[in-house]
Structure formats: C-alpha cells, structure tokens
Amino acid sequence: MTKNLQAVRGMRDILPEQTPLWQWLEARARAVLAGYGYREVRLPLLEMTELFERSIGEVTDIVEKEMYTFADRNGDSLTLRPEGTAGCVRAGIEHGLFYNQVQRLWYQGPMFRHERPQKGRYRQFHQIGVEAFGLAGPDVDSELILISARLWRSLGIEGLELQLNSLGTPAERARYREVLVDYLRAHEGRLDEDGRRRLGTNPLRVLDTKNPDMADVVAGAPSLLDFLTEESRGHFTAVCDALAAAGVAFTINPRLVRGLDYYSRTVFEWVTTRLGAQGTVCAGGRYDGLVEQLGGRPAPAAGFAIGLERLVALLEEAGVAPGLGDPHVYLVALGAEAERAGLLLAERLRDALPWLRLVVNCGGGGMKAQFKRADRAGARYALVLGEGEVARGAAGLKPLRETGEQEDVATGELAAVLTARLGPPRPEGF
Ligand code: HAM
C-alpha cells in the first residue's frame, strides 16, 4: 500500500474552521496599523542567504542551525526567510526608501525556522512585522509599543506582560561584554555546554539560557543597564516615561537580550504564561546599525513582530468571537420551482446586502436533511422556500441559534428584516 503523504513536520494547515479567526485578527491589525500611518510592503519569501548571515548574525541559533538554505539551479545559496526585518531593510535600501525619509512599514506572512516543533513553535509560522525607519528618538520606540498595546485591546486580549530592556550601543555593549566575559569565566564550571560555547562566541546569549541550573549565575551577572552612557540611559528613560504616561504597564528585565544580533538600545517582548514554554507573543526593538550594515546610508530604525500562531492560540483559549465567519443565512429550497426562485432570491439579497454570508442549499433533499445541513453550516437563520412561499412572494425565516418560530416575510422586505436581525456588519466584514 502506498503511504499517505503528510505535511512537512512543523508546518501546519490552517483549516476553514480557523481561517475566520485569522482573517479577523489580520483585519484588526490592518486597521490599527493604518491608524498610525503604517503602510504595507509585500516581500519575497526567498532571499540570498548572505542577507540573513549579515543581519541576524552568524553566531545565532537562527543562522547556525535553523535556516532552510539550499542552492538553486544556478548554484546561488538561497534561504526561506526566518524573519522579516532583514528583507524589509534589503527592500528599502534597494528601492531608495530610506534616503532622507521616514518610512512606517508593515508586512505579514510565513517565516521558516528549523526549530524543534512543539506547542506554539513551528517550522513554518506567521508574523505581522512593523518597522519604522529614519527616526532616532525614543518617541517612535514608544509609538511601536503603543501600537502593539492597542492591538491587544482591539482583539480583547488581556494579561500580556510587557518586558523592556536597553541593549545600549555597540560600544557600550563591547565594554559590558568584557566585564560579562570575566564574570562568566570566573563561573565557567557552572555553565552548561551551550553556555561555555556561547561564552566564546556570543556571551550575552548566555543570559538567555532556559537551564534552571544556571539561574543563579545569570542572576548574579553584571547588568548591561549599568554600562549605558547618559545618552542611552536618557533614551531608555524617555521610552519608559512615555509608556507610563500612556498607562502601559511594563517591567524592566535586564536579562532580556533577544536572539538576533542587530538590536541596539530599546528591546521589548510581550509575554504570557498561558501558552506554556513558548510564551513570547510579540518581540522587537531598535536596530540603528542594520541599514548601514547591509549597505545603505545610515538610518535609524526600530520595529517588532507578532507571532500569529501564538496570538491565535490566545484568542482561541479566550473563546473570542465564536462563530466568526459562519453563514448568516442558509437557504432551504423545497422542490424544483423553489430551487429556481431561491437561486434568484439569493442573488438579489447579495446585491442588496454585500456583507451577507448566504449559503444556498445544493443537491436537493427533503426539509429535514436541508435543515440539518443548515445547522451543520453554523447558519444563524434558515430561509425556507417551498411552492406556497414562492406563490405568495414570501419566504419563511427561522432562527437556528435561538428559539423562535418561523415567520413569513415578503421577499421585498427581506433585506430590511435581515439587516435589522443581523445588525450592521463590522468594518472587517464579520
Ligand atoms: P523574533 O523574536 O525572532 O523576532 O520573532 C518574533 C515573534 O515571532 C516571536 O516573539 C514569536 O511570537 C514568533 N515566533 C518566532 N519563532 C517562532 C516559531 N518557530 N513558531 C511560532 N512563532 C514563532 C523577529 O523575528 C524580529 N524580526 C522582530 C523585529 C522586527 N525586530 C525588529 N523588527
């Protein structure tokens, strides 16, 4: 027997029961981003491998062991994007978007990392990424965080914790690195294998360990915040003050280092304990050196990305908006004449109410069978047409999700009655 083909490990199908929630979330995000003047860019899934090596950093988990890299038919080394910032910067430089300009951009789509799959961690996952270019001040750092906070409100998500840190400038970090390396060397015996390896390559990442046996060593390590110059400290304080003034609660986590090398100064993560081990829903920060590092004229930048699978899991858990995207109406037609009339009535209703989700019964069947299909489709109302209704120029309207009798409505009145019953559609069309 031939073996059934399966999806690649860690790559998930998003099935029709789930897509309405995704669409709703994406529509809300689009509306929030438009409200801050951010514009969408659509970027390739494939980039030259070198782009990621030069931006994310050669000594990071992503570049060392998680990229989907292959040689194409010309022998060029290409990589499925593991994140969106690098491609966004590449595109901005290539099209001259950053030259003496401010750009507020966002993108969405799949990202690919060959990580060990588990709940909330996949090999193909989706992000909405938001990036602001050409603005060096702390005001835009706060703006980005306010955007994310507004999105949680707009989605009805509560209880996310905002963690903030400053990684300083490369010079500040270099000074800190020396002190940190001395400290870690003095405690080398208590580092695990990964810690010892990182000590030589990327010592700040030692602080990011998940190994509880190293918690003491990490807790006792010197803090980068003590190595910031006045200017970086002022930048960080201004971000914190603006958030406090806007009523956004946060905690400062001096161990927050991020897994990508391009950050400078402000970094942040929104975390939850409700998703198990993979609790970071959104993360980002400032990356002032990256545009220049990738060959552009120097331009300050900051941004963040949201992990959509994790956000969807939170929305599902909270039971947000059940029945999203289900049909409003299922048209039950009994007999050939009613079927013909039903098809035309449905078209007229769709003309009058462009937001209406109306499913017409196909494939015939008796009253009982059609009502069963209406129920299974999740419809809120059945619209019943039999010979009698057609002759009267009316249709029976029966609620399916609440108790209530079937009522006879003249076809000319139907659009008005449905609008009154189903309420005005939300702007996203749900
Ligand atoms: P990141 O922290 O690597 O940052 O990813 C951002 C978010 O994507 C994570 O917080 C998480 O929610 C989600 N995510 C990452 N990996 C996975 C995975 N394997 N499965 C499911 N979700 C995942 C970045 O990617 C930066 N480009 C963010 C940024 C934009 N910084 C500045 N601008």
Side-chain angles (χ1 to χ4, degrees):
M1 220 170 75
T2 50
K3 197 167 152 247
N4 282 341
L5 289 173
Q6 289 183 333
V8 174
R9 188 163 128 84
M11 308 212 174
R12 303 197 309 163
D13 301 306
I14 301 173
L15 297 174
E17 291 83 64
Q18 299 163 314
T19 47
L21 190 56
W22 283 76
Q23 291 169 347
W24 176 73
L25 150 65
E26 288 158 3
R28 289 271 155 130
R30 257 201 300 280
V32 168
L33 288 161
Y36 288 80
Y38 284 70
R39 299 181 302 159
E40 188 186 9
V41 282
R42 301 195 176 188
L43 304 164
L45 302 193
L46 275 178
E47 297 277 0
M48 307 292 272
T49 303
E50 190 190 344
L51 172 68
F52 302 114
E53 291 167 347
R54 279 174 54 189
S55 54
I56 297 169
E58 307 242 23
V59 196
T60 55
D61 284 350
I62 297 179
V63 170
E64 278 184 343
K65 49 190 188 200
E66 293 171 2
M67 295 205 301
Y68 283 89
T69 296
F70 60 95
D72 77 355
R73 288 172 191 278
N74 299 328
D76 292 328
S77 180
L78 304 183
T79 293
L80 275 169
R81 63 181 187 190
E83 58 104 52
T85 308
C88 190
V89 170
R90 194 267 313 137
I93 296 171
E94 192 169 331
H95 300 285
L97 301 186
F98 303 148
Y99 183 58
N100 276 344
Q101 292 177 71
V102 168
Q103 292 288 351
R104 288 178 163 87
L105 306 175
W106 68 274
Y107 50 82
Q108 68 171 333
M111 309 290 162
F112 303 85
R113 296 183 194 177
H114 196 275
E115 297 190 77
R116 199 169 50 76
Q118 62 180 86
K119 182 171 177 270
R121 188 164 72 191
Y122 308 102
R123 290 182 173 173
Q124 173 173 330
F125 60 97
H126 297 77
Q127 286 184 345
I128 289 180
V130 183
E131 319 281 1
F133 297 93
L135 297 163
D139 46 1
V140 79
D141 305 27
S142 324
E143 173 177 291
L144 288 160
I145 294 171
L146 289 177
I147 291 175
S148 50
R150 181 174 296 276
L151 183 61
W152 316 146
R153 286 200 300 281
S154 158
L155 297 172
I157 292 178
E158 287 174 359
L160 294 185
E161 187 200 347
L162 173 62
Q163 300 195 349
L164 281 186
N165 191 23
S166 175
L167 296 181
T169 61
E172 289 157 4
R173 222 158 40 236
R175 272 199 302 283
Y176 170 67
R177 195 184 147 121
E178 280 174 26
V179 178
L180 179 67
V181 167
D182 285 347
Y183 169 86
L184 292 174
R185 284 249 159 78
H187 297 84
E188 200 165 342
R190 290 168 60 201
L191 302 184
D192 59 13
E193 197 190 320
D194 212 37
R196 278 197 296 277
R197 190 176 59 84
R198 282 176 166 159
L199 174 56
T201 53
N202 199 348
L204 261 70
R205 294 281 293 157
V206 178
L207 303 179
D208 204 27
T209 179
K210 303 276 181 297
N211 183 350
D213 296 340
M214 282 168 57
D216 282 2
V217 185
V218 167
S223 168
L224 207 167
L225 289 173
D226 295 331
F227 289 75
L228 299 187
T229 56
E230 274 312 302
E231 208 186 333
S232 283
R233 202 187 296 271
H235 186 105
F236 191 50
T237 309
V239 176
C240 295
D241 289 351
L243 292 175
V248 177
F250 59 87
T251 38
I252 293 175
N253 174 4
R255 311 283 167 233
L256 182 65
V257 290
R258 308 283 298 122
L260 305 94
D261 280 354
Y262 48 63
Y263 291 105
S264 55
R265 293 199 167 149
T266 318
V267 289
F268 66 93
E269 292 192 355
W270 288 93
V271 296
T272 171
T273 50
R274 280 176 302 191
L275 293 177
Q278 303 305 316
T280 306
V281 172
C282 169
R286 180 162 279 286
Y287 50 97
D288 287 337
L290 186 58
V291 175
E292 187 178 15
Q293 202 174 308
L294 291 178
R297 293 180 192 228
F304 67 83
I306 301 166
L308 297 189
E309 278 75 6
R310 295 181 190 177
L311 207 55
V312 166
L314 277 181
L315 290 168
E316 277 172 351
E317 190 202 68
V320 172
L324 209 62
D326 285 347
H328 297 114
V329 175
Y330 190 98
L331 193 143
V332 170
L334 302 159
E337 198 189 333
E339 278 177 17
R340 272 194 303 275
L343 210 67
L344 297 181
L345 174 62
E347 286 300 298
R348 279 216 304 281
L349 287 172
R350 294 188 187 105
D351 287 341
L353 308 173
W355 49 266
L356 186 70
R357 291 190 298 273
L358 167 57
V359 175
V360 173
N361 182 75
C362 284
M367 174 94 92
K368 203 167 159 206
Q370 293 197 36
F371 262 90
K372 204 164 165 186
R373 290 179 204 150
D375 191 51
R376 197 175 290 165
R380 287 175 55 190
Y381 287 90
L383 196 58
V384 187
L385 273 188
E387 263 176 44
E389 282 83 3
V390 175
R392 286 201 302 281
L397 186 63
K398 181 165 172 40
L400 297 176
R401 304 288 135 200
E402 58 218 59
T403 48
E405 291 306 304
Q406 182 168 319
E407 121 191 50
D408 219 42
V409 181
T411 48
E413 305 289 312
L414 262 175
V417 171
L418 287 173
T419 306
R421 294 288 169 82
L422 297 163
R426 294 193 211 146
E428 305 91 7
F430 288 101

